[in-house]
Amino acid sequence: MKQPNTLTRRKLLQLGTATAAALPIAHILITNPAQADDLPHLGSDNPTAVALGYVEDTTTVDKAANPRHEDTQMCSNCTLIQGNDGDEWRPCAIFPGTVVSANGWCKSWAPKA
Ligand code: SF4
């Protein structure tokens, strides 16, 4: 008779191993400056970007739709930004496989700790 708990535990271990193996690779792909330079800019047609109101220039944010937005809030000082300080285009944890403008903004903006 099959023991479902053993199978579940085995699958969890396999998933954990696969995830642990993939994380360093994902980190390298996201944070390696050479890779970041090769990534496409986040497009305004990206459905997640549209849903989060992403703009490449924080000063162009719709103030009526985002009353708590301030022009000092931008991707370069967001806790979700990745890559190198000072780069004009950088990876963001919300938009894998693309880079966002350092001067950009979206509704997920949160200050760096
Ligand atoms: Fe920019 Fe932060 Fe939004 Fe990413 S989550 S696009 S870094 S404001």
Side-chain angles (χ1 to χ4, degrees), residues 42 52 54 74-76 78-82 91-95 100-101 104-110:
L42 178 62
L52 293 176
Y54 170 78
M74 56 187 68
C75 294
S76 62
C78 174
T79 193
L80 297 169
I81 198 73
Q82 300 172 330
C92 163
I94 301 266
F95 300 104
V100 299
S101 168
W105 182 88
C106 85
K107 294 180 182 185
S108 293
W109 182 90

